[in-house]
Amino acid sequence: MHAERSPGPGRNRDRLRPGLYLVLTEPRDGYEILAELAVRAGLPAVQLRYKGDDQRHHVALARELRTITRGSSTLFIVNDRPDIALMVEADGVHIGQEDLPAEAVRRLIGDNMLLGLSTHSLEQVSAARSEPVDYIGFGPIYPTTSKAKPDPVIGPDLLSEAGRISAHPIVAIGGLTLKRLAHLDLQACRNIAIISEVAQAENPGEKMSALHTRFIEWRGSRI
C-alpha cells in the first residue's frame, strides 16, 4: 500500500485532492469552456499549458481561468511560468526538468503556492525527494501526441516503483485513457493528468466526470 503524503510542516498550501488533473493545451472547445466544465465536475485541478508565443494572450488566458476557478474546489495551476502564476494569483505552478530549478521557483513563489515538478525516470523521481515541491508528474506512461518532442515512454510498470520511492504525491501523465486506468497501479498515484482524452472527446464534460469518478472508485476499491 502506498501512503498518502501531506504538505511540509508550516505550509499553508491547499492540498491537491485525488482525482483528475486536467491539463489544457489548445482544447478544441476553448480553454474557458473546459475550465468551467472542470469546476462544475469538481475536479481537483486545472493546469494552463499554453505553448503559443503571444505573451499578452497567455496572461489574459491565465486571468480568465483564475476568475473561473476562484472560490471553487478546483485549483488553478500555471505551467512553466511562475511569473504569470504570481501575476494572476494562481494556486500553483508546474515546472519541467529544463525550467528554472525548483529551489529558485520556491523562493520566488513563496510557501503558500503549490509547486509541481515533471519527472521522466526513476532517477529523477529519486532526485526530486530533496526538492521543495508538493507533487511530481511522472510519465509519459503511454505514447502521447500532446508534445512536439515527447519524452521517452516509461510504461505502466514503473509507476508502482515510482510510488514506492517518491517522497511526494504522484500525478501520472501520458496517453492515459479510461480503458488504460485498469492497467495502472492507482495506489501509486494521487492523480491522473489527462489532455487529449478530454479535449478531443465528443462531450468533454461527460468524459472528465467519468474519468474523475472512475479513478476515485477504482483507487478506493484497491486499497
Side-chain angles (χ1 to χ4, degrees):
M1 183 182 296
H2 303 273
E4 288 288 322
R5 301 171 178 90
S6 58
R11 287 179 175 168
N12 259 333
R13 296 186 296 277
D14 291 322
R15 291 187 62 191
L16 179 62
R17 294 179 291 113
L20 174 58
Y21 181 120
L22 183 64
V23 180
L24 298 180
T25 300
E26 298 181 356
R28 182 194 60 208
D29 295 329
Y31 290 92
E32 296 88 350
I33 288 177
L34 263 67
E36 288 171 356
L37 291 171
V39 169
R40 197 176 306 164
L43 300 191
V46 167
Q47 183 191 117
L48 172 60
R49 187 169 170 266
Y50 175 72
K51 293 300 181 181
D53 297 323
D54 188 336
Q55 299 306 308
R56 293 192 177 194
H57 181 55
H58 194 170
V59 173
L61 272 176
R63 286 207 171 107
E64 186 63 29
L65 268 59
R66 169 72 291 181
T67 298
I68 292 168
T69 56
R70 191 184 298 278
S72 74
S73 62
T74 302
L75 299 175
F76 175 50
I77 313 293
V78 176
N79 189 60
D80 288 348
R81 296 291 299 270
D83 55 338
I84 292 179
L86 285 166
M87 268 190 276
V88 304
E89 299 180 343
D91 297 301
V93 61
H94 187 89
I95 58 174
Q97 290 289 322
E98 297 180 0
D99 294 325
L100 290 171
E103 189 172 332
V105 176
R106 175 56 74 198
R107 287 200 301 270
L108 181 64
I109 65 176
D111 280 341
N112 291 324
M113 193 177 284
L114 282 164
L115 179 57
L117 173 67
S118 291
T119 61
H120 312 294
S121 67
L122 293 179
E123 289 75 19
Q124 290 177 356
V125 171
S126 183
R129 292 178 60 87
S130 60
E131 297 287 4
V133 300
D134 301 291
Y135 69 91
I136 61 170
F138 184 65
I141 305 296
Y142 293 99
T144 176
T145 59
S146 66
K147 286 187 176 182
K149 295 181 179 179
D151 295 286
V153 174
I154 294 171
D157 293 341
L158 287 187
L159 181 58
S160 296
E161 181 64 12
R164 190 185 68 79
I165 66 174
S166 178
H168 309 289
I170 291 176
V171 178
I173 188 170
L176 299 180
T177 65
L178 199 54
K179 291 181 179 179
R180 284 172 171 168
L181 291 189
H183 305 290
L184 292 184
D185 177 1
L186 300 183
Q187 290 306 305
C189 56
R190 179 178 291 181
N191 300 83
I192 49 167
I194 302 288
I195 304 174
S196 301
E197 177 79 344
V198 167
Q200 296 176 10
E202 196 169 310
N203 189 321
E206 279 188 8
K207 179 66 76 170
M208 67 176 71
S209 292
L211 282 159
H212 177 62
T213 301
R214 190 67 58 85
F215 175 78
I216 295 296
E217 289 176 349
W218 285 0
R219 190 171 183 264
S221 68
R222 298 179 189 180
I223 293 177

